[in-house]
Amino acid sequence: MAGGIGFALALTACGGSDSGDDSTEGGGGETAASSIDCAPYEEFGDLSGTTVSVYTSIVEPEQATQEASYDPFEECTGVTVEYEGSREFEAQLLVRIQAGNAPDIAYLPQPGLLKTIVGDYPEAIVPAPDATAANVDEFFSESWKDYGSVDGTFYAAPLGANVKSFVWYSPAMFEDAGYEIPETWDDMMDLSQQIVDDGAMPWCAGVESGDATGWAGTDFVEDVVLRTAGPDVYDQWYTHEIPFNDPQINEAFDTAGEILKNPDYVNAGLGGVDSIATTPWTDAGFPILDGTCWLHRAANFYATQWPEGTTVAEDGDVYAFYLPTNQTDIKPVLGGGEFVAAFNDRPEVQAFQTYLSSADWANAKALATPAGGWVSANNGLDPENLSTDFDKLSAEILADPNAVIRFDASDLMPGEVGAGTFWTGIVNWLTGASTEEVTDAIEASWPASS
């Protein structure tokens, strides 16, 4: 399976027809699906009539490209993939596991959540099959496999990868104002002040996300920790070798607060500082489009959130630059991604896991994402199959020899912290609580066993 699915398969499966209807007229001709070479799937045996349920936080518009990338697998194996995306995924997944109603597959956005599930519900989750492990060994770095492992057992293969260290802006507005893309953090802060001096407000932000409200703010803080304290301290922080309220972490909060808690800098076009807590993360960058905001820090996948018709390009409506740093020897990159965990070991479930860990799925997904906003750390992904220059920029950042990539810290922390008190702490911080009050409370919530 590691190399078995032909590349032509991905091309034919994802192309479809102009009308959106794969049926033939008058009984003649062939459908796109019938041209797929299904021989590589024969090793899975007869899976016709079976179903695999998938539960995930990936919702529209990204859901459509996810489902499209499954077409070759479904056509060739006879398996039906039932997809359910939910913005309440993090909270509801554990409820479903507790109730004995776990999905066959869940895309976990936090390795910390994987550890919580393995620790609290070891009978519910099943290790990844050997074929999936072989794919991960071939196509991913060892660190990605480690993120999907608990106590030496490999459970969950990587799916997509996120590059979170981006700042979105309007190329036309920058050109008209004579602004340059900042090369360092100090340059970016000088630019922010220049925008204020020129009579505007530079930054817009939002962290509202249903039951997951706050996560976008944790990303901002984590990016700053990498830039002010460095990768080694970052590692000590999420592993709790240093306390959450270590002075170096408080300094990072305060540095982020020079933007996020500065009423002169935020919340452009949206309200006061406290409006960040109630502004949906999906909409927070939109004021760039009407000229009321200049800068919005968000991950590469924010490309999929812009309203229909928005052009993401260096000469388009919006584009993004790497979140700069004053460090000269490294290029810190905050990353993230999903991991494919299984709660059933039926043959069709294992077959789907293996497909998702292959280079063939990564290329099929790239081809199925014409609007862009998606990359993978799978080294079998051909960058030329990525749809946009922005996606290729994300891939270049991941491959930069000076890049020091760290996975989202909140996703690596115990679930009750990373997907709990850290999220709520961000909301409290944005609505008036001090850095010390917030970090002290989060430190006090850290489970004694972790």
Side-chain angles (χ1 to χ4, degrees), residues 17-36:
S17 63
D18 291 341
S19 66
D21 181 358
D22 286 338
S23 62
T24 57
E25 294 183 4
E30 289 187 335
T31 66
S34 67
S35 65
I36 298 174

Side-chain angles (χ1 to χ4, degrees), residues 33-52:
S34 67
S35 65
I36 298 174
D37 177 12
C38 291
Y41 294 89
E42 292 177 358
E43 66 180 277
F44 296 132
D46 184 7
L47 301 176
S48 298
T50 61
T51 299
V52 175

Side-chain angles (χ1 to χ4, degrees), residues 124-379:
I125 192 168
V126 296
D130 291 342
T132 301
N135 276 347
V136 173
D137 289 338
E138 179 175 358
F139 297 118
F140 293 87
S141 66
E142 184 177 350
S143 62
W144 283 95
K145 187 175 184 181
D146 289 343
Y147 290 140
S149 302
V150 178
D151 297 331
T153 299
F154 175 57
Y155 289 94
L159 195 67
N162 304 324
V163 180
K164 298 194 172 189
S165 301
F166 277 119
V167 178
W168 292 86
Y169 73 105
S170 163
M173 288 171 59
F174 265 52
E175 182 177 1
D176 291 345
Y179 297 154
E180 299 289 336
I181 301 299
E183 297 292 331
T184 68
W185 184 272
D186 288 345
D187 290 343
M188 186 177 71
M189 296 304 292
D190 289 343
L191 172 62
S192 299
Q193 186 58 48
Q194 183 63 55
I195 293 170
V196 172
D197 293 344
D198 289 342
M201 184 176 284
W203 291 86
C204 44
V207 303
E208 193 281 323
S209 186
D211 287 347
T213 293
W215 71 261
T218 69
D219 282 4
F220 202 119
V221 170
E222 289 156 3
D223 246 332
V224 176
V225 172
L226 281 173
R227 284 157 177 75
T228 59
D232 291 342
V233 171
Y234 185 92
D235 294 342
Q236 296 164 11
W237 177 46
Y238 82 74
T239 58
H240 209 222
E241 294 176 39
I242 61 173
F244 195 100
N245 55 355
D246 184 273
Q248 298 168 100
I249 306 306
N250 286 350
E251 179 186 352
F253 265 83
D254 290 341
T255 299
E258 292 175 7
I259 294 174
L260 293 179
K261 299 188 72 169
N262 185 341
D264 292 333
Y265 285 8
V266 292
N267 198 13
L270 296 167
V273 169
D274 58 356
S275 71
I276 299 174
T278 56
T279 298
W281 76 270
T282 53
D283 304 349
F286 291 178
I288 291 176
L289 298 175
D290 64 18
T292 55
C293 173
W294 290 79
L295 302 165
H296 175 62
R297 186 222 155 275
N300 66 306
F301 54 76
Y302 198 77
T304 66
Q305 300 301 319
W306 295 105
E308 185 177 354
T310 303
T311 302
V312 177
E314 285 188 273
D315 58 353
D317 301 312
V318 292
Y319 204 56
F321 59 83
Y322 166 76
L323 179 67
T325 176
N326 288 335
Q327 295 145 302
T328 58
D329 55 336
I330 62 171
K331 188 174 186 176
V333 179
L334 183 66
E338 312 86 18
F339 293 82
V340 181
F343 299 90
N344 197 294
D345 60 0
R346 300 192 315 274
E348 60 270 23
V349 177
Q350 293 192 337
F352 189 55
Q353 282 179 280
T354 301
Y355 173 62
L356 293 175
S357 64
S358 69
D360 302 279
W361 175 78
N363 283 292
K365 177 64 171 71
L367 292 167
T369 313
W374 180 87
V375 293
S376 171
N378 189 313
N379 62 32

Side-chain angles (χ1 to χ4, degrees), residues 67-83:
E67 293 189 273
S69 71
Y70 309 153
D71 289 349
F73 176 83
E74 292 183 293
E75 175 66 27
C76 292
T77 64
V79 175
T80 297
V81 178
E82 293 184 345
Y83 188 102

